[in-house]
Amino acid sequence: MIRVGLGLRDVRNFREGVFLSSPPCFTAFTSSQTNNLHPAGILSFFYIYKTFEEEWSLFLTSPPPTIPPRKLHILRTLHTPLLLRTEPLLRDLSFYFSLPTPHSALDKFSIPTTPARIAYANHIREAIKKEPLVIIAYAHNMYLALFAGGKIIKSKMLSQVGFFPQMEGMTSEECQKLGMNLFMWEVEQGKEEVVRGGFKRRLASVEGKIEEEEKKAIIAESREIFIQNGKLIEELDRLTRERGSTCSAVTWLVWILMALASWLAYRVCAQVLASVVVVM
């Protein structure tokens, strides 16, 4: 009998090799760096959320005839409109790229163009096509990361002078709200935990309906999220260096949020894989 937990070594090695050897730059940076580079990070996030949320929606609106009713029930139960981030990200993109409407942002950024973004989006589609329930891995890691780090990141954004582009006829506070949609939830202020708690309760309610092989696929995809996020961060750092900046909003904010999502994925692997045993 061999513990599958040994497979966690790959994730641990990647974490130590990429995240710990290339720590983010948390020092201050100029407003010109911020305004030029933060949108690139938002755009990378956009393609992650857009891709898995589109695939999820397709399963609910036009389910393939081959999907078992049990899986469809799980996906319907977990689908939470308040958590969806594609529309909020489109509002952020329209603000940072000075586009007239979120629809204009969708037209402009409908298809990823950088290698890491393209590869990640393609991977998400292929993984979901192979096993629809790996959507759970994306929902768990990418949504809960926002709750885990959203307050910290918003505070850092607000503390940087000149972080938000200024719009004619609008106050600084109004501009700030236009640039933080990713971290905003359509509930009363202070009630954000209700959204997070509701998702976790629904996840607990369907856990018993997920078969062992499906759980293993979800765990494996959590590890892949960790790895793909790392590749996306590496690409953003490269883009940052090409623009002549050594310390950017991309490195600072994107690293934090993606690292949080990756940490959640790592924790899932650590907790679950350690308890799974395969008979050889």
Side-chain angles (χ1 to χ4, degrees), residues 16-215:
E16 293 170 355
V18 175
F19 289 94
L20 300 188
S21 65
S22 302
C25 182
F26 290 105
T27 58
F29 45 83
T30 67
S31 60
S32 61
Q33 288 174 322
T34 300
N35 290 336
N36 289 334
L37 295 168
H38 180 62
I42 294 294
L43 188 56
S44 288
F45 279 119
F46 169 68
Y47 290 118
I48 302 172
Y49 289 101
K50 176 178 179 289
T51 303
F52 85 79
E53 288 179 354
E54 279 182 346
E55 295 299 312
W56 199 348
S57 178
L58 282 173
F59 272 106
L60 302 183
T61 57
S62 303
T66 54
I67 187 172
R70 173 183 57 83
K71 290 186 180 183
L72 193 58
H73 168 74
I74 292 170
L75 293 176
R76 289 190 187 280
T77 299
L78 293 177
H79 193 260
T80 309
L82 281 175
L83 284 174
L84 301 181
R85 295 293 90 190
T86 299
E87 288 298 326
L89 279 164
L90 284 172
R91 291 197 290 272
D92 280 341
L93 290 172
S94 66
F95 173 68
Y96 286 111
F97 286 93
S98 301
L99 299 171
T101 65
H103 184 75
S104 301
L106 181 60
D107 288 341
K108 183 177 179 66
F109 300 116
S110 60
I111 300 174
T113 56
T114 65
R117 292 168 182 164
I118 293 170
Y120 201 167
N122 289 341
H123 169 80
I124 292 171
R125 292 190 183 93
E126 289 300 317
I128 292 173
K129 182 179 178 180
K130 183 178 180 181
E131 173 49 72
L133 292 187
V134 301
I135 288 172
I136 295 172
Y138 287 94
H140 178 274
N141 294 310
M142 299 308 299
Y143 291 144
L144 296 190
L146 295 174
F147 289 100
K151 289 183 179 179
I152 296 173
I153 297 174
K154 284 194 292 184
S155 175
K156 292 292 185 181
M157 292 167 70
L158 291 170
S159 70
Q160 294 297 318
V161 176
F163 188 96
F164 300 93
Q166 293 301 299
M167 308 291 287
E168 186 177 352
M170 299 184 69
T171 65
S172 296
E173 290 75 15
E174 290 170 334
C175 291
Q176 289 168 359
K177 289 182 180 180
L178 289 176
M180 294 194 296
N181 290 286
L182 173 61
F183 308 105
M184 297 174 67
W185 313 93
E186 294 185 6
V187 294
E188 291 182 36
Q189 188 172 358
K191 300 289 186 180
E192 295 84 358
E193 184 62 27
V194 174
V195 182
R196 174 180 175 271
F199 174 76
K200 295 185 74 173
R201 285 191 297 273
R202 284 188 287 276
L203 182 57
S205 74
V206 299
E207 185 177 359
K209 297 179 174 66
I210 303 173
E211 297 178 354
E212 286 305 312
E213 289 302 314
E214 295 161 353
K215 289 180 181 178

